[in-house]
């Protein structure tokens, strides 16, 4: 079933990391390393496809990169000088192997393997049309829509067919495609999701983040630009921009949470931006306290910034077990709650009798904050003040970051007072959207026209949301029918 509700089990959205190598013998081994460095972007499943000059080979598996792709037999079965890989993450619902990427298809032009980071906001509409005209889908992934659009395009060459397909999709996509002729990497016209390009000897590398270049010892060359297609054939590299130019809107949440702090994104050090957000947070929302304590690991850089700006000592008041995945990774509310308990423990000797400022990067459902505040109280804290290094998350993301439906977002349900009460803190404050822009070296949001996609905070979605609008229309019609009935 292909649901019209993006939050159903057969959901479309994914969080992902992608990595591709062109022109290096044993490319799959490099891809495995690159995926390792991108593991934080998706822990549910991983896959690698390689091309040996004659044939494509693919291995896809549920679980982490380590454990699946650190086995010599697996890598040996992926021969060739070109390979592309993907890590995937979805919090609940169908996690079948058929949705694990790279997706592969035999097109008229030959094999085509694709890895996608992002989410298309009109995939359901396109899929319905494609199914009506005879396309048979193998997965419930939005990425497969691109493959069918390429397959059914009236253009002649693969590149023209690919461009034709991209012109029909809306939303966020960073893609790495592998064909017998070479590799194509591209970013959607707004550049919502990241994609960088690197060099290792004569080989070309594409990756979601620079940390994945670091891990294989590759040199960062530049970002793939919004709306750009980079085509690699042997040692020849070509760039085309087939879309009408647009003001880019890269995802601001990559800086808040999603990217690794040691990545450079859009020319900014993610770590430095996070520290600057913490400093803005301290300027906007000061508090009299004894200690600044990060919720590890996501709150650490912002807490350092907050401490340096406020002069309140930074201490590790919560110790995190590194053997549990990210809070969100375990599907299901019950397990998610348990995950928080498993993950963090209070450093009791430090906390007792102290007024503390807790720093985290974001509040989504409020699960983490509630548990951590309680944990601080149980450890004897005199006061617990929560400071959040992003504005309230009030809107769902339809571009590939897994925020839940609005009904589950704490800030969409409650005002500041309600949220403070819910998490049981003595006070709660968020950095403003202007503070966030300032931390990125920008003027106020309104003055720069939104340079980023910040829809999760503002509700200002930079692309049409065809699937949402159609779902809403269907829901509204159903409501109307009910009322009439
Ligand atoms: P919650 O407990 O639902 O309020 O989620 C907030 C916590 O989850 C924070 O500690 C964040 O670091 C983390 N977080 C925020 N957004 C995401 C996301 N899209 N995926 C995974 N974890 C997230």
């Amino acid at each position: 079933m292909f649901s019209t509700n993006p939050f159903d089990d057969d959901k479309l959205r994914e969080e992902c990391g992608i990595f591709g190598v062109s022109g290096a013998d044993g490319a799959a081994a490099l891809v495995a390393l690159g995926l390792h460095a991108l593991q934080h972007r998706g822990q549910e499943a991983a896959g690698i496809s390689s091309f040996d000059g004659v044939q494509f080979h693919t291995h896809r598996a549920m679980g982490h990169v380590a454990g699946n792709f650190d086995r010599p037999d697996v890598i040996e079965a992926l021969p060739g000088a070109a390979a592309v890989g993907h890590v995937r993450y979805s919090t609940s619902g169908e996690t079948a192997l058929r949705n694990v990427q790279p997706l592969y298809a035999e097109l008229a032009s030959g094999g085509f393997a694709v890895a996608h980071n992002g989410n298309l906001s009109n995939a359901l509409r396109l899929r319905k049309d494609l199914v009506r005209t005879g396309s048979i889908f193998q997965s419930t992934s939005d990425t497969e829509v691109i493959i069918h659009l390429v397959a059914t395009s009236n253009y002649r060459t693969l590149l023209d067919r690919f461009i034709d397909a991209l012109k029909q999709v809306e939303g966020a996509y960073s893609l790495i495609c592998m064909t017998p002729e070479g590799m194509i990497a591209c970013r959607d016209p707004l550049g919502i999701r990241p994609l960088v390009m690197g060099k290792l000897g004569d080989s070309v590398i594409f990756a979601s983040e620079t940390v994945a270049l670091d891990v294989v010892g590759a040199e960062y060359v530049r970002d793939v630009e919004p709306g750009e297609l980079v085509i690699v054939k042997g040692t020849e590299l070509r760039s085309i921009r087939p879309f009408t130019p647009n003001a880019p809107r890269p995802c601001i949440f990559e800086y808040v949470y999603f990217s690794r702090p040691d990545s450079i994104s859009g020319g900014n050090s993610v770590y430095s931006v996070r520290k600057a957000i913490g400093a803005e947070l301290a300027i906007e929302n000061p508090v009299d306290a004894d200690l600044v304590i990060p919720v590890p690991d996501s709150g650490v850089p912002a807490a350092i910034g907050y401490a340096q700006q406020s002069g309140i000592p930074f201490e590790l008041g919560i110790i995190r077990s590194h053997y549990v995945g990210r809070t969100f990774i375990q599907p299901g509310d019950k397990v998610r709650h348990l995950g928080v308990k498993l993950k963090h423990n209070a450093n009791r000797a430090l906390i007792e009798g102290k007024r503390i400022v807790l720093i985290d990067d974001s509040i989504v459902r409020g699960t983490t904050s509630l548990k951590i505040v309680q944990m601080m109280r149980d450890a004897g804290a005199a006061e617990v003040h929560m400071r959040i290094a992003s504005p309230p998350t009030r809107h769902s993301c339809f571009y590939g970051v897994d925020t839940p439906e609005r009904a589950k977002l704490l800030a969409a349900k409650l005002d500041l007072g309600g949220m403070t009460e819910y998490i049981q803190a003595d006070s709660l404050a968020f950095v403003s959207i202007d503070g966030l822009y300032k931390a990125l070296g920008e003027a106020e949001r309104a003055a720069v026209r939104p340079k980023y996609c910040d829809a999760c905070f503002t509700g200002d979605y930079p692309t049409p949301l065809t699937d949402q609008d159609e779902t809403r229309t269907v829901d509204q019609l159903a409501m109307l029918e009910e009322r009439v009935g």
Side-chain angles (χ1 to χ4, degrees), residues 15 89 91 253 257-258 295-296 298-299 326-329 336 340 343-344 360-369 401-404 408 410:
E15 278 182 6
Y89 164 50
T91 53
F253 202 70
Y257 172 81
F258 208 42
V295 177
S298 55
R326 283 184 165 197
T327 319
F328 268 44
I329 301 301
R336 193 175 295 118
V340 178
K343 208 161 109 172
H344 297 119
D360 204 358
D361 66 283
S362 57
I363 290 185
V364 182
R365 297 176 182 83
T367 317
T368 308
S369 302
V401 168
D402 173 59
T403 43
K408 287 190 179 161
L410 195 68

Side-chain angles (χ1 to χ4, degrees), residues 270-354:
V270 174
Y271 178 76
S272 304
V273 172
R274 284 185 192 159
K275 263 177 66 180
I277 302 173
E280 286 299 327
L281 187 58
I283 294 166
E284 290 182 355
N285 302 292
V287 60
D288 230 357
D290 304 311
L291 299 174
V292 172
I293 289 176
V295 177
D297 293 325
S298 55
V300 173
I304 294 174
Y306 194 101
Q308 287 178 354
Q309 179 66 38
S310 64
I312 303 169
F314 170 97
E315 292 285 1
L316 295 178
I318 302 165
I319 304 303
R320 176 181 161 185
S321 161
H322 283 270
Y323 307 100
V324 194
R326 283 184 165 197
T327 319
F328 268 44
I329 301 301
Q330 300 100 29
D333 275 341
K334 227 170 160 184
V335 190
R336 193 175 295 118
H337 278 264
L338 186 68
V340 178
K341 272 194 236 161
L342 277 172
K343 208 161 109 172
H344 297 119
N345 192 33
N347 185 356
R348 197 173 275 274
L350 183 81
I351 303 296
E352 202 145 23
K354 300 289 195 326

Side-chain angles (χ1 to χ4, degrees), residues 357-377:
V357 196
L358 275 177
I359 311 279
D360 204 358
D361 66 283
S362 57
I363 290 185
V364 182
R365 297 176 182 83
T367 317
T368 308
S369 302
L370 175 64
K371 293 279 174 203
I372 299 281
V373 170
Q374 194 53 52
M375 193 180 282
M376 295 296 98
R377 295 216 189 276

